[in-house]
Amino acid sequence: MGKKIFSGVQPTGNLHLGNYIGAIKNFVSLQNEKDNNCVFCVVDLHAVTVKQDPKILKNSIRETTAAFLASGIDPDKSIIFNQSLVPAHSEASWILGCIARMGWLNRMTQFKEKAGKDKEKASVGLYIYPVLMAADILLYDASHVPVGEDQKQHLELSRDIAQKFNIDYEAHEFFKVPEPLIQKNFSRIMSLKDGMKKMSKSDPSDLSRINLTDTNDEIAIKIKKAKTDNEILPASEKNLKERPELENLLGIYSSLKNQSLKISISEFGGKNFSDLKKKLTDLAIEKISPISSEIKKIQSDNTYIDNILLKGAEKANKIAGKKVYEMKKIIGF
Ligand code: AMP
Ligand code: TRP
């Protein structure tokens, strides 16, 4: 039997190589596996947990959709829509917020990181962000959720919420308990400027990430300026952990080339950083430039993008609307 896949990406700023390697590239493989049913959501309700400029948000929703399409997600095979078009997500989120416990949410490390020192000033939405994420997943009876390593804890929370609802309401197996799909390798792409920090949309330095919309020149400059050390490249994986920037560049190279880290190490062992950077630049341009030009092409037609989202939302509404109706019946509404 095929898998039921659900995943989401926030429309906040540029999608980068971390999103591509950690998430979108896998969305495409899962979509192309026989018998899978896939739903990919632009999670705009999640985006407003921090303040957004309305015009920029609208543009980012379309850009994220364009990036999905340009990377190979096919609206005839998968459902693609933006979350705010399907009211069941907000409704289910309220109900599940009454199932989730404060103690569970207090453990969420992403909230702690995003809220920073002054958590009294963080929005309530940011705090209950993982509950909305659980609603997204559970409404579609997703069996598998492909995400990067950073979302593992949120997924565990979704599982806890599903199980508690099923037990509390004696609704045996009403919610399917979802499995995370986190790649074993390269599930965490790091900043080009600091091998200990995740590559992120919100990093103030654009040099820290390769965006899917970057030009060839921008890609080349960013890899050239990526942080390195002065030693030659090792012939084995030993000691790689002590050289996080090297490990990251080798990881990106291996993932884009669909080969193991071991093979990449044997390719570069004894060589200089500049050799790796040169080959990585060529490879990154080869992989990203078709996506980048396709994004730009798709983005020149907003009506086309909006129609895809509307059609996707119609299909999503049918599935999620039915599930939330059943939820309401179970709880006595
Ligand atoms: P976000 O940009 O936070 O909405 O993330 C969208 C998807 O990309 C999620 O599945 C994340 O886990 C994944 N992701 C984001 N940043 C990275 C990264 N630096 N490395 C790997 N995966 C990532
Ligand atoms: N929280 C995820 C992120 O920041 C995005 C997301 C929202 C998501 N809802 C989801 C991912 C449901 C998987 C499934 O990356």
Side-chain angles (χ1 to χ4, degrees), residues 6-10 19 27 41 43 46 83 110 114 129-130 132-137 145-148 150-151 154-155 158 198 201:
F6 185 99
S7 197
V9 174
Q10 293 194 66
N19 296 126
F27 296 177
C41 184
V43 290
H46 279 106
Q83 200 182 21
Q110 183 173 294
K114 288 200 176 172
Y129 174 116
L132 176 60
M133 180 161 161
D136 297 342
I137 297 166
V145 182
V147 282
D150 61 335
Q151 295 301 311
H154 288 163
L155 225 77
S158 301
K198 199 177 75 160
K201 291 168 182 167

Side-chain angles (χ1 to χ4, degrees), residues 217-273:
D217 286 349
E218 282 168 329
I219 294 173
I221 288 172
K222 286 176 178 179
I223 294 178
K224 193 161 173 224
K225 293 199 170 168
K227 189 175 166 197
T228 51
D229 53 48
N230 293 322
E231 290 166 51
I232 58 162
L233 308 193
S236 83
E237 277 181 62
K238 242 179 35 197
N239 303 337
L240 214 50
K241 282 272 165 284
E242 286 148 35
R243 299 174 71 185
E245 284 82 17
L246 170 63
E247 187 181 25
N248 190 39
L249 292 187
L250 279 171
I252 295 174
Y253 182 81
S254 310
S255 167
L256 291 178
K257 213 167 170 193
N258 288 319
Q259 71 183 23
S260 68
L261 192 61
K262 214 170 167 180
I263 293 185
S264 300
I265 289 174
S266 65
E267 200 177 323
F268 293 107
K271 295 193 175 156
N272 293 318
F273 246 115

Side-chain angles (χ1 to χ4, degrees), residues 254-296:
S254 310
S255 167
L256 291 178
K257 213 167 170 193
N258 288 319
Q259 71 183 23
S260 68
L261 192 61
K262 214 170 167 180
I263 293 185
S264 300
I265 289 174
S266 65
E267 200 177 323
F268 293 107
K271 295 193 175 156
N272 293 318
F273 246 115
S274 57
D275 298 312
L276 168 60
K277 282 188 167 184
K278 191 172 170 311
K279 280 208 149 180
L280 179 59
T281 304
D282 293 343
L283 181 63
I285 289 175
E286 178 195 321
K287 297 286 175 180
I288 291 174
S289 104
I291 299 178
S292 164
S293 47
E294 187 64 16
I295 292 178
K296 282 170 197 139

Side-chain angles (χ1 to χ4, degrees), residues 3 52 62 71 82 148 151 176 190-191 244 268 319 326:
K3 304 184 185 84
Q52 302 291 337
R62 289 180 175 137
S71 306
N82 58 314
Q151 295 301 311
K176 172 128 194 102
M190 310 311 277
S191 155
F268 293 107
I319 304 169
E326 287 166 5

Side-chain angles (χ1 to χ4, degrees), residues 7-24 26-27 43 46 64 68 110 114 129 133 145-152 181-183 186-191 197-201 248:
S7 197
V9 174
Q10 293 194 66
T12 43
N14 285 327
L15 287 181
H16 51 70
L17 202 59
N19 296 126
Y20 181 70
I21 293 175
I24 301 174
N26 311 319
F27 296 177
V43 290
H46 279 106
T64 304
F68 278 4
Q110 183 173 294
K114 288 200 176 172
Y129 174 116
M133 180 161 161
V145 182
V147 282
E149 170 70 30
D150 61 335
Q151 295 301 311
K152 192 166 173 222
L181 271 184
I182 299 171
Q183 315 176 81
F186 325 125
S187 60
R188 210 172 147 80
I189 303 299
M190 310 311 277
S191 155
K197 246 171 67 183
K198 199 177 75 160
M199 185 178 284
S200 154
K201 291 168 182 167
N248 190 39

